[in-house]
Amino acid sequence: MTKALTVLPTQNLEPFKGVKKIALEEYFTSGHRTCQGCESALVMKLMAKAAGPRTVILGATGCMYVANTTYYSTSWVVPWMHTQLGAAGSAAVGTAAGLKALMRKNRIKQEPINVIAFCGDGGGADMGLSSISAALTYPEYNFLILMYDNESYANTDIQLSSMTPYGANTTFSPPGKARRILHKRWKKNVAGMLAAGHPECRYVATVDASYALEMMNRVRKALTIGGPTFIHSLDPCPKGWDYDPIQSHDLGELAVETGVWPLFEVEDGVLKFYGKSKSIAQGRKRKPVREYLLRQGRFAHFTDEDIEYFQKKIDQMWERWLIPGAVCIAMSDDIKKALAKSEVELATAN
Amino acid sequence: MTVATKPAAAADKEMLISGCAAIAQALRLADIDVVTAYPIRPYDTVMQAVAKLIANGELDAEYIVASSEHDQFEIVKHASAVGARVFCGSSGVGWMYAMEAIAVTPALRLPMVALVGNRALDDPGAFGCEHNDALCVRDLGWMLTWVDTAQEALDTALIAYRVAEDPRIFLPCAIGADGAFLTHSETIVKVPSKEKVDQFLPKYDRGDKLLHPDNPITIAPQVNEDWVMEIRKQNDEAMRRARGVIQEAFRDFHKIFGRQGGNPFVESYMADDAEVILFGQGTLSMPVKVGVRKLREQGHKVGFVRLRWLRPFPTPEVQEALGRAKAVGVVDRDYSFGSPNYGAVLYNEVRSALYDLPKRPHVISFICGLGGREVTLDSVVEMSEILLKVAKTGKVEQPNYWIGVRG
Ligand SMILES: Cc1ncc(C[n+]2csc(CCOP(=O)(O)OP(=O)(O)O)c2C)c(N)n1
Ligand code: SF4
Ligand SMILES: [Mg+2]
């Protein structure tokens, strides 16, 4: 009989225990042309550092391709290959499958090699969602898909994606005299949707590079746990969000402190909040979203009413969702009661 | 690349199989590493056959059922970059759905063999054979070959791997197989032994282009106007080299297997002394050959030439095969609405290839057999009669005909 699943061993990447323990080697270095203060470029650097040298990286079209890999001055120290805008999931599957077949047939050395495919929010949450969803159902391949979310199609001049926050000014949603707000969609919760819908995926996390150590250790955990995994990173983008580049780090923190960006990880089907989001989930007061929104030019046209609407939606997420940030549905009261009853019965039976 | 030939190993095994099943046998013999499947008729019977081979332990490969044709072609593209021998395929709108991935594969110089089970593009819905699906890639750097029999499908698949993976080429190759007529029709096929195939087909080796931590390269960085033209030119040069590499592969194939000794690029049937020649590709040859024999019995000097490779286009061979005739009728199982003379794709390719001859035959366009409609004996006779009239009068009254259309 063949085994139910044949998953190759992964590298054992222990968490970095403190900033001083982080490896010094860089695998994403100079040569790129991203904007000053680009948080996504920092995500690339930290992701590559966390993964280490025995890694293959695939990158979908977007700023992190176009601005990052100029012919003759590539910033990648590890092997890197472009993939199409909506193909991050397929790139990960194809690379992992190729390596697996060749190792099994003894055509290349058998060793754990990290496979990481990254994409932007446009590439991942819009065009490539089906390819990522498919990828997370192949339990026999080891790879990480990292979606860097700068909340717009940044590379093509800041057009709105399904991840752009409500009301933001983008080149496809400019505020005008007749209509102040053209973009009325609410951002999708991609990490939650993927965690909830893909039982074979052992690890999903949201991250924020303002908390660099936490972020890197989640990349290491995703690569170590094996199988298909997914990380969603929120990246302040000075050009698209319209703020002074010096503020990138602060905005990343504010996104978490206002509760706009909940940090959580889902490991083997169990969800945990971490960092400041953990204390928020445990009752700590969130900062008002006004502090976050008004530091960004893309919300400069917001009236008090718009800010209130935004605040209300964030409050609802924390108060009404089954899992804030992850699962935007709640259980009906009768089911809640029934479940609570059967839990009591279970406890007494045991 | 030359291959040392040893005395033939185990004898061929005869099997009664379809064109798709014959290709699956070739994939087993080529020991492919990664294959991706997605359902669409008629190409997908090849994936059913591959699945069986894997389930029965006759082939060791990653078999990935993708979620769309775009995923299907992206997955094998990336597997090829890390050194895996890959197979893929589609039909009709499925092939079109994958077009972005299909377009970038030759630009990345990634070898891949794909089967296009030719099918009409919806709408309106039709399963039958039409060549417009595969023809969409004729300008992009894919080598394109059309096969006529299940045996030729098996042989061509092996040859396609050898040429595509040759480091002088590194281009993908699509095999066009007429939907139903070839994909599903069963005939006796000689399936060679693995030892013979191993003599013919070396392992895929990407050398210093391999994506691997031991060879940390960056593939497909942004080049813009600084470099893209030089890179396109390299693709052009690879396609030019493909001609010689195909000839080399056929020569070695013939030495090892004793088949495929003829002209790799065109098949001529009673065409050497023909006054008028019908020209086409794929399984069209069956009704046309019957028609040619019939007309010859009646004393008409009719012949047939079948194109085997559309890319690289064999200009000298086509000139040689058609140049002496008075009239040539190009039978297109495709359309190209609004193109010169309202002819179709092959017609305009052939007319262009003959242009430099000092003495050129008249070239007539026939659009025929679309959507799987059968090309009948009557149609062959009708087309031949039009050509015979042109040959006799030296006048072209009408450059283009739709054959076998009602109303
Ligand atoms: C199939 C396809 N459609 C459109 C484009 C144009 N395009 C290039 S980069 C880009 C933006 C991608 O946005 P995102 O994935 O969010 O990455 P970002 O640029 O924000 O880093 C787009 C739309 C493309 N390259 N491919
Ligand atoms: S536009 Fe935004 S994501 Fe793109 S390089 Fe500039 S800061 Fe980075
Ligand atoms: Mg983006």
Side-chain angles (χ1 to χ4, degrees):
Chain A
M1 268 301 279
T2 48
K3 273 185 272 168
L5 284 184
T6 43
V7 188
L8 295 180
T10 55
Q11 294 177 42
N12 186 18
L13 304 170
E14 294 284 345
F16 294 132
K17 299 206 171 70
V19 180
K20 289 189 181 149
K21 298 283 163 48
I22 296 174
L24 290 177
E25 293 78 12
E26 299 289 356
Y27 302 101
F28 171 86
T29 61
S30 56
H32 64 84
R33 301 174 297 135
T34 60
C35 307
Q36 192 181 23
C38 173
E39 200 77 347
S40 296
L42 180 65
V43 167
M44 295 294 118
K45 177 183 150 106
L46 300 177
M47 172 189 85
K49 211 182 204 343
R54 304 307 281 174
T55 301
V56 176
I57 300 183
L58 301 318
T61 321
C63 278
M64 293 305 107
Y65 165 52
V66 180
N68 258 339
T69 58
T70 306
Y71 197 32
Y72 281 153
S73 72
T74 182
S75 34
W76 295 100
V77 176
V78 284
W80 187 93
M81 180 174 169
H82 174 227
T83 193
Q84 295 314 109
L85 183 54
S90 302
V93 172
T95 305
L99 291 173
K100 186 173 186 185
L102 295 173
M103 284 182 200
R104 184 174 66 240
K105 294 181 176 187
N106 282 320
R107 300 252 306 285
I108 57 173
K109 199 177 102 208
Q110 299 199 11
E111 61 163 327
I113 293 178
N114 299 321
V115 173
I116 304 178
F118 67 75
C119 55
D121 49 301
D126 285 350
M127 186 180 273
L129 190 61
S130 128
S131 144
I132 292 174
S133 166
L136 297 183
T137 64
Y138 298 106
E140 293 182 278
Y141 302 129
N142 298 325
F143 55 79
L144 163 65
I145 298 169
L146 185 143
M147 184 171 90
Y148 69 93
D149 178 4
N150 50 24
E151 301 197 314
S152 81
Y153 287 92
N155 184 62
T156 34
D157 204 16
I158 322 293
Q159 291 88 2
L160 71 87
S161 77
S162 62
M163 305 308 275
T164 302
Y166 168 87
N169 178 352
T170 71
T171 56
F172 278 0
S173 55
K177 282 191 197 121
R179 291 172 68 177
R180 194 179 65 258
I181 286 184
L182 282 181
H183 172 49
K184 304 208 166 157
R185 298 153 69 190
W186 194 259
K187 190 176 166 98
K188 296 195 269 195
N189 41 315
V190 172
M193 156 184 11
L194 293 177
H198 299 82
E200 292 288 8
C201 171
R202 293 186 56 196
Y203 191 76
V204 171
T206 59
V207 298
D208 183 327
S210 291
Y211 308 98
L213 184 67
E214 301 271 42
M215 181 257 166
M216 289 168 83
N217 282 341
R218 279 171 178 85
V219 169
R220 287 168 79 80
K221 198 190 270 190
L223 292 168
T224 302
I225 202 167
T229 55
F230 180 81
I231 289 181
H232 182 174
S233 161
L234 181 77
D235 306 353
C237 157
K239 183 179 169 200
W241 298 15
D242 189 11
Y243 62 83
D244 187 315
I246 205 166
Q247 298 191 55
S248 291
H249 180 91
D250 292 355
L251 279 169
E253 285 191 346
L254 271 174
V256 173
E257 288 164 354
T258 52
V260 167
W261 185 241
L263 294 172
F264 61 85
E265 60 184 350
V266 185
E267 189 177 340
D268 282 326
V270 177
L271 182 140
K272 279 188 231 155
F273 289 97
Y274 71 91
K276 287 192 179 146
S277 301
K278 187 173 170 187
S279 28
I280 290 174
Q282 286 167 342
R284 179 178 146 158
K285 228 169 130 17
R286 283 175 272 124
K287 286 190 177 167
V289 297
R290 174 182 292 270
E291 280 184 36
Y292 174 64
L293 299 180
L294 290 187
R295 284 176 73 167
Q296 306 172 45
R298 61 177 172 162
F299 300 112
H301 57 296
F302 266 28
T303 59
D304 283 345
E305 195 191 338
D306 299 329
I307 294 172
E308 266 165 41
Y309 175 76
F310 205 106
Q311 183 68 59
K312 200 181 86 210
K313 295 286 277 188
I314 298 296
D315 293 347
Q316 273 176 7
M317 173 173 86
W318 284 99
E319 288 154 18
R320 301 257 302 274
W321 290 22
L322 188 61
I323 305 173
V327 183
C328 58
I329 43 181
M331 262 189 281
S332 64
D333 289 343
D334 52 338
I335 295 288
K336 257 197 237 163
K337 260 189 228 148
L339 279 177
K341 194 170 154 234
S342 62
E343 244 172 60
V344 173
E345 277 164 14
L346 253 173
T348 34
N350 288 345
Chain B
M1 175 185 343
T2 44
V3 168
T5 53
K6 289 185 213 142
D12 293 347
K13 195 172 135 199
E14 290 198 338
M15 295 171 84
L16 176 65
I17 48 177
S18 68
C20 276
I23 289 179
Q25 288 298 322
L27 302 175
R28 173 181 65 78
L29 293 164
D31 187 25
I32 56 166
D33 302 311
V34 177
V35 52
T36 51
Y38 190 85
I40 186 166
R41 274 184 275 205
Y43 106 97
D44 59 359
T45 44
V46 74
M47 294 306 180
Q48 297 170 352
V50 171
K52 272 202 187 122
L53 289 173
I54 290 176
N56 291 335
E58 293 177 67
L59 169 62
D60 179 11
E62 297 299 307
Y63 184 88
I64 299 167
V65 179
S67 290
S68 72
E69 287 88 356
H70 190 278
D71 289 5
Q72 205 190 342
F73 279 82
E74 277 293 333
I75 292 170
V76 281
K77 180 190 101 180
H78 283 281
S80 180
V82 294
R85 176 170 287 165
V86 299
F87 178 73
C88 199
S90 195
S91 289
V93 290
W95 179 251
M96 306 305 278
Y97 196 85
M99 196 47 71
E100 184 197 30
I102 288 173
V104 299
T105 301
L108 288 161
R109 301 293 295 279
L110 288 169
M112 165 187 308
V113 174
L115 172 67
V116 191
N118 298 118
R119 166 178 171 160
L121 301 169
D122 304 343
D123 277 335
F127 296 128
C129 171
E130 221 171 69
H131 291 172
N132 280 87
D133 50 6
L135 286 175
C136 279
V137 304
R138 87 188 149 133
D139 302 331
L140 303 179
W142 278 76
M143 294 180 284
L144 261 176
T145 173
W146 255 268
V147 293
D148 176 25
T149 62
Q151 184 71 60
E152 197 174 277
L154 185 150
D155 296 350
T156 303
L158 295 173
I159 290 167
Y161 277 111
R162 164 105 171 230
V163 177
E165 293 172 358
D166 188 305
R168 292 167 294 179
I169 309 298
F170 279 161
L171 288 174
C173 181
I175 302 173
D178 290 351
F181 299 117
L182 182 72
T183 54
H184 285 64
S185 305
E186 295 195 340
T187 48
I188 299 276
V189 175
K190 290 196 170 101
V191 181
S193 67
K194 181 89 176 82
E195 297 80 68
K196 275 203 219 173
V197 173
D198 288 346
Q199 278 178 52
F200 173 71
L201 185 61
K203 294 254 180 286
Y204 172 32
D205 181 0
R206 271 195 85 61
D208 62 3
K209 312 280 184 304
L210 188 74
L211 191 69
H212 187 278
D214 290 342
N215 189 46
I217 52 173
T218 291
I219 299 181
Q222 274 282 312
V223 294
N224 298 332
E225 67 281 8
D226 289 344
W227 287 104
V228 88
M229 204 155 164
E230 284 69 24
I231 291 167
R232 296 281 183 262
K233 181 72 171 42
Q234 289 177 348
N235 264 59
D236 180 67
E237 284 163 9
M239 188 59 96
R240 285 169 194 252
R241 285 194 294 270
R243 196 183 142 76
V245 175
I246 291 169
Q247 284 168 327
E248 227 174 80
F250 270 85
R251 264 200 306 277
D252 284 339
F253 193 95
H254 181 61
K255 269 193 233 154
I256 296 170
F257 302 94
R259 288 192 302 276
Q260 302 294 349
N263 189 326
F265 296 111
V266 292
E267 180 198 354
S268 282
Y269 185 78
M270 298 191 177
D272 290 348
D273 66 337
E275 271 182 11
V276 305
I277 296 175
L278 285 166
F279 181 94
Q281 55 184 7
T283 58
L284 181 77
S285 75
M286 171 83 112
V288 176
K289 283 178 181 169
V290 176
V292 165
R293 284 201 297 274
K294 215 178 127 180
L295 288 157
R296 283 265 173 183
E297 279 165 21
Q298 295 166 9
H300 302 297
K301 284 197 165 173
V302 181
F304 172 62
V305 172
R306 180 170 66 93
L307 184 70
R308 300 179 67 182
W309 291 78
L310 182 76
R311 288 292 182 269
F313 191 88
T315 309
E317 283 77 6
V318 168
Q319 288 178 337
E320 167 66 23
L322 304 180
R324 284 185 302 277
K326 287 186 177 152
V328 171
V330 180
V331 188
D332 269 283
R333 228 174 182 145
D334 60 85
Y335 46 83
S336 176
F337 300 126
S339 64
N341 280 345
Y342 299 97
V345 176
L346 268 190
Y347 162 75
N348 277 302
E349 296 256 330
V350 168
R351 243 171 47 119
S352 155
L354 298 182
Y355 187 81
D356 291 326
L357 288 180
K359 199 166 155 286
R360 301 186 285 268
H362 292 294
V363 186
I364 310 292
S365 149
F366 296 118
I367 293 175
C368 191
L370 298 188
R373 182 161 296 182
E374 209 174 310
V375 178
T376 61
L377 204 52
D378 285 349
S379 302
V380 176
V381 171
E382 187 188 341
M383 293 187 280
S384 304
E385 281 171 353
I386 293 169
L387 293 179
L388 287 164
K389 193 170 162 206
V390 170
K392 201 167 146 201
T393 61
K395 276 203 198 99
V396 176
E397 280 167 19
Q398 188 182 326
N400 162 266
Y401 296 82
W402 282 63
I403 301 293
V405 189
R406 287 191 305 268

